Amino acid sequence: MKPSSYPKGMEAKTLETEILQDWHENGECPEGTIPIVRSPQHRLGQKTTPFFPSNQLDANDTKNHEFAQVSVTEGNYFGASARFNLWKPATFNGEFSLAQIWIVAGQGQETDSLKAGWRTYPETNYTRLFISWTSDGYQRTGCYNLECPGFVQTSNKFGPDAVLAPLSRYAGDQFEMSTYIYKDKKSGNWWLRVNEIDVGYWPSSLFKKLSDRADIVSWGGEIVNSGLQGRHTSTQMGSGHFPSEGFRKASYIRNIRYVDESRAIHDVQIAFSFVTKPECYGLQRGDIPNYGTHFFYGGPGYSDKCL
């Protein structure tokens, strides 16, 4: 199964990063079948609703999650895209660190949400592709990857939880992953496309608000801070370095775009930025030529300033 159409202006450039799964050394799945990752589930027990200004959501909804992100909040959105700089930040105490596109409609317990990007956590030695969804603010519905019915995988090359490699090195080579989430004009399903491969889709029937359109899109980093022994976590975000260090040292997200009602892609020009704890993780707009709208983000977590 394929989308009935693609957003106008969707690029078709192959990036250097490969997406791997353990069985690739034995070939790919036969046509008409898909790979299924058989590994322990990592539910983590920490699901979130988006953090936006207090007139939209209660700040308490973020609990122990911290963010460095930009958002567009005034429009009707039918998709989003970005190129994610790939790293493996250090994580501790069962916490995770991720970078994502976050598509949202509704508020509170009526929140419909789709997420896709890369994620790392202590139980794995890899940075992995991840997805998640909910149709009620993570009260009863939704999960990561394929841990529950919902997302329909169509690719026989790779799927959610696949390993991403190679990764960027501090002051060295940089690697990226392209990610698109967009609403199919004919079926209404929300498709995920990664590195020019249609991975699968979230059926429109899963949602109430997102069955029509999204009203908020965010791009950025997220970590969990368990706050053990009363101190801030040392879990890193992005490369583990602050945005002020710049290219090849700080993590970035570039070519940040959204899809409008005509299914055309536009560069984000004006966005609302939010950082939970600037002394721990930062966010800074970049000015690299030909990178479109982009920003650097991340940080090391616990330090003499981040307590």
Side-chain angles (χ1 to χ4, degrees), residues 23 48 58 120 126 130 134 145 157 176 204 237 277 289 294 306:
W23 42 263
T48 66
D58 187 336
T120 185
Y126 304 102
F130 92 95
T134 183
N145 300 329
K157 298 182 181 298
E176 302 176 344
S204 178
M237 182 187 292
K277 290 186 177 179
H294 62 284
C306 176

Side-chain angles (χ1 to χ4, degrees), residues 29-90:
C29 288
E31 194 68 32
T33 66
I34 63 169
I36 299 175
V37 178
R38 299 188 184 279
S39 61
Q41 294 182 344
H42 300 284
R43 295 182 182 275
L44 302 180
Q46 297 151 332
K47 297 178 179 178
T48 66
T49 51
F51 187 102
F52 296 107
S54 58
N55 65 334
Q56 293 180 306
L57 278 178
D58 187 336
N60 291 329
D61 284 342
T62 62
K63 296 184 175 67
N64 56 347
H65 291 242
E66 297 181 14
F67 303 87
Q69 65 183 29
V70 299
S71 304
V72 289
T73 62
E74 298 182 2
N76 297 316
Y77 306 107
F78 294 80
S81 65
R83 293 185 180 179
F84 291 97
N85 190 205
L86 294 172
W87 295 85
K88 186 182 181 299

